[in-house]
């Protein structure tokens, strides 16, 4: 099996650089990083692209938008997904909020929105730290993005609603919440876990971007998830 890491909107495969995991495969999703030749790509298309690029069974770890892509991956390719970690994500978004974020990016440019995004993604202490490596990476990545590509990512999230389909995801799933997350609520993530047939819910101390502010804790949880998945499937 392959451990596949799926990043948030506006970031890229390098957002996992501070994690300590066994031979992970971190991908740039369509429309992100070096793959911005597909404007208007949907979450379903991103999921299909992941399935086409990775051979064999997949243990997928998705955070924020990456978690939404992970859900679509498990729904569209159930024979390929061995397990999921869904962190700081949502089973549905408010289309009007995503449209507002897309419009703000196009109106103000990446320079105009980056600091407000970082304030939503990280704790105040991390944003205030002059040399915080996770915040520094995220700031550089966002400022390097084209506004059109970032807006397209928000619009792709605007059509996301898989709440009714969650009970059909039969693989083991660990749902992870950040206790200081301003973007994804504890109750919303707990609700995802409650709709899944084989799941557990874990809250970690930290903000939305756990992989950038609390990478050691999230890495330990992913390794624990893989052990739990092996035991769950063996008991089967």
């Amino acid at each position: 099996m392959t451990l596949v890491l799926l990043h948030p909107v506006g970031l890229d495969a390098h957002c996992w650089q501070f994690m300590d995991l066994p031979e992970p495969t971190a991908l740039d999703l369509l429309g992100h990083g070096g793959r911005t030749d597909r404007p208007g790509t949907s979450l379903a298309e991103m999921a299909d692209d992941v399935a086409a690029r990775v051979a064999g069974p997949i243990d997928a770890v998705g955070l924020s938008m990456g978690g939404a892509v992970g859900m679509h991956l498990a729904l569209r390719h159930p024979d390929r997904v061995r397990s999921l970690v869904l962190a700081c994500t949502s089973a549905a978004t408010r289309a009007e909020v995503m449209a507002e974020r897309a419009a703000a990016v196009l109106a103000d440019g990446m320079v105009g929105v980056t600091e407000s995004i970082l304030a939503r993604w990280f704790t105040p202490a991390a944003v205030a730290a002059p040399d915080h490596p996770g915040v520094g990476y995220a700031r550089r990545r966002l400022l390097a993005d084209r506004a059109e590509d970032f807006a397209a990512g928000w619009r792709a999230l605007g059509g996301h609603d898989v709440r009714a389909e969650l009970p059909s995801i039969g693989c083991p799933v660990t749902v992870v919440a950040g206790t200081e997350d301003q973007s994804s609520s504890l109750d919303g993530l707990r609700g995802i876990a409650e709709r899944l047939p084989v799941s557990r819910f874990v809250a970690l101390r930290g903000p939305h971007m756990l992989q950038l502010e609390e990478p050691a804790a999230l890495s330990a949880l992913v390794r624990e998830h893989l052990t739990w998945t092996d035991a769950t499937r063996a008991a089967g």
Side-chain angles (χ1 to χ4, degrees):
M1 71 287 300
T2 303
L3 179 62
V4 177
L5 309 180
L6 308 174
H7 61 77
V9 66
L11 301 184
D12 60 14
H14 296 291
C15 82
W16 305 100
Q17 63 190 283
F18 307 109
M19 300 281 285
D20 179 17
L21 295 171
E23 299 183 355
T25 296
L27 302 176
D28 283 346
L29 297 172
L30 285 173
H32 292 77
R35 309 187 67 214
T36 56
D37 58 337
R38 290 280 301 275
T41 302
S42 69
L43 298 181
E45 289 173 305
M46 293 182 198
D48 290 346
D49 177 71
V50 171
R53 294 171 66 195
V54 180
I58 294 171
D59 291 301
V61 178
L63 190 143
S64 194
M65 184 189 75
V69 174
M71 292 179 228
H72 284 271
L73 181 65
L75 290 167
R76 296 172 67 83
H77 305 276
D79 57 324
R80 298 288 312 287
V81 179
R82 195 182 83 106
S83 75
L84 284 174
V85 175
L86 303 176
C88 301
T89 190
S90 175
T93 61
R94 293 172 56 193
E96 66 274 15
V97 172
M98 300 300 108
E100 288 170 2
R101 291 179 182 176
V105 172
L106 294 175
D108 300 333
M110 295 308 300
V111 172
V113 300
T114 289
E115 293 307 315
S116 64
I117 292 169
L118 296 176
R120 190 168 66 244
W121 282 359
F122 294 93
T123 62
V127 174
D131 299 316
H132 192 285
V135 175
Y137 152 76
R139 180 180 285 115
R140 291 189 298 273
R141 178 64 265 177
L142 290 174
L143 291 173
D145 286 341
R146 296 192 315 166
E148 295 84 357
D149 297 325
F150 196 36
W154 288 127
R155 287 194 293 268
L157 279 164
H160 174 58
D161 187 351
V162 297
R163 288 172 293 186
E165 300 169 81
L166 289 176
S168 67
I169 297 178
C171 66
V173 184
T174 296
V175 181
V176 186
T179 58
E180 299 173 71
D181 189 348
Q182 299 181 46
S183 297
S184 304
S185 72
L186 285 167
D187 287 344
L189 285 152
R190 189 178 288 110
I192 292 175
E194 290 171 351
R195 289 182 173 92
L196 294 164
V198 185
S199 69
R200 58 184 195 143
F201 172 78
V202 181
L204 291 181
R205 182 183 62 81
H208 193 58
M209 291 295 160
L210 287 172
Q211 85 287 15
L212 292 173
E213 191 164 337
E214 299 292 342
L218 185 58
S219 296
L221 181 57
V222 171
R223 292 194 297 270
E224 180 186 331
H225 163 83
L226 296 173
T227 299
W228 170 70
T229 294
D230 289 340
T232 300
R233 295 182 70 89

